[in-house]
Amino acid sequence: MSFIYSDKDLVGYVMIKNIRIQNANAVSSPITYGFPAITGFTGAIHALSRKIAVVDGLEDIRLDGVLIACFDCKPQTYREASYKDYTFNQTRNPILKSGKTASINEEGRCHLRISLVIGVYANDFMLEDYQIAKLLQTIRFKIQQQRIAGGSVLSLDRFDPVNYVPAEDINNFSKALLPAFILMNAPKDLTSITEQLQQQNPEATALDALISTATMTHEPIDNAQGMTDWQTKSSKQGRGWLVPIPVGFQGISEIYDAGIMQNVRNPEYPSRYVEAIYSLGKWVFPHRINDLADALWYQYYDNEESLYLVTQNQEF
């Protein structure tokens, strides 16, 4: 159900540790912000895989799937006073030839410190030692020469930047991922919240449940002294750190041949109009995940339903 290379076998995992990223895109969808979209990381790994495939000795190796562990995320925001709303810090660069600033689409940014665990696929079930050494060296250099989620990579871990383990030993990375939080898909929580809302309103939908996780309600409660106290409630209380996340796109038009649609990112490929699809995510400590392999996000395409999704192998 994913873009796993069908002609290759999963042989191991690579962890890129303590990546510092500057000015990543903090606007993950038309209605969510704060952390980059998952597609920003799956896309970066796909680009890295293509670069590795042209290196001598690594032609048969591919990368697919990525676990996202975040240590720190700092949205670049500004607030003039404590009673005013936050706004994103914006820049307009590069400037025009005339020296004036160019008009831009506003883009929120954030600084990140993350670690990534990536699946390694090859023709054989085991890589040779020289292949592993060359793969780690290549990843160490190539990852610092490209963008991740629109941001620039400033540095990797000083002492142990890139590691490799066989496929069955992925959970050896658990301690190295502390004290980060890992982004997991949380469809069970979304279903549970939807059912809870439907007890009060039978017409409530999963969209209502998703919105409820991003809102807080204040209810009056009479205390023992006959006074009124205000209690703050949220549908995600007691369920962990839940966040609405975009998980892909739904096609809403036919697929147009290359060069037909204007102003697309890459006119060399067919294009179509899409809308964002949302779900519920959860930030989870590594020790709460039984198998880290379940935390890797993969790209998935459903031709019949016109779906372009990111998904994990199993529900958390």
Side-chain angles (χ1 to χ4, degrees), residues 208-284:
D208 297 315
L210 192 67
I211 294 175
S212 73
T213 63
T215 59
M216 302 181 69
T217 59
H218 303 276
E219 299 179 0
I221 297 179
D222 294 333
N223 58 28
Q225 290 75 32
M227 304 295 287
T228 299
D229 291 332
W230 288 90
Q231 184 179 33
T232 302
K233 291 185 177 182
S234 171
S235 61
K236 61 183 180 182
Q237 286 180 332
R239 301 178 184 273
W241 189 355
L242 297 176
V243 288
I245 57 173
V247 291
F249 304 93
Q250 169 73 66
I252 58 174
S253 74
E254 61 180 292
I255 298 178
Y256 299 99
D257 293 334
I260 299 298
M261 290 182 63
Q262 298 181 354
N263 301 321
V264 296
R265 177 173 296 179
N266 194 331
E268 298 178 3
Y269 295 95
S271 306
R272 77 188 319 168
Y273 292 100
V274 297
E275 287 185 345
I277 298 176
Y278 302 92
S279 185
L280 196 60
K282 178 186 287 189
W283 289 104
V284 183

Side-chain angles (χ1 to χ4, degrees), residues 171 290 314:
N171 292 315
N290 295 328
Q314 297 181 15

Side-chain angles (χ1 to χ4, degrees), residues 92-131:
R92 295 185 177 184
N93 51 346
I95 61 175
L96 300 176
K97 293 181 179 179
S98 61
K100 297 181 180 180
T101 56
S103 60
I104 62 168
N105 293 326
E106 291 189 358
E107 178 179 293
R109 297 175 178 176
C110 63
H111 299 335
L112 299 172
R113 186 164 69 89
I114 62 173
S115 288
L116 302 177
V117 177
I118 306 162
V120 180
Y121 292 79
N123 292 334
D124 298 322
F125 284 102
M126 182 178 297
L127 297 181
E128 300 291 341
D129 290 342
Y130 79 91
Q131 290 180 301

Side-chain angles (χ1 to χ4, degrees), residues 11 18 39 53 61 66 69 72 107-108 112 114 119 124 135 139 141 176 199 218-219 224 245 249 254 278 296:
V11 296
N18 206 9
T39 51
I61 296 177
V66 57
D72 189 27
E107 178 179 293
L112 299 172
I114 62 173
D124 298 322
L135 175 64
I139 289 177
F141 287 109
Q199 293 177 1
H218 303 276
E219 299 179 0
I245 57 173
F249 304 93
E254 61 180 292
Y278 302 92
L296 271 71

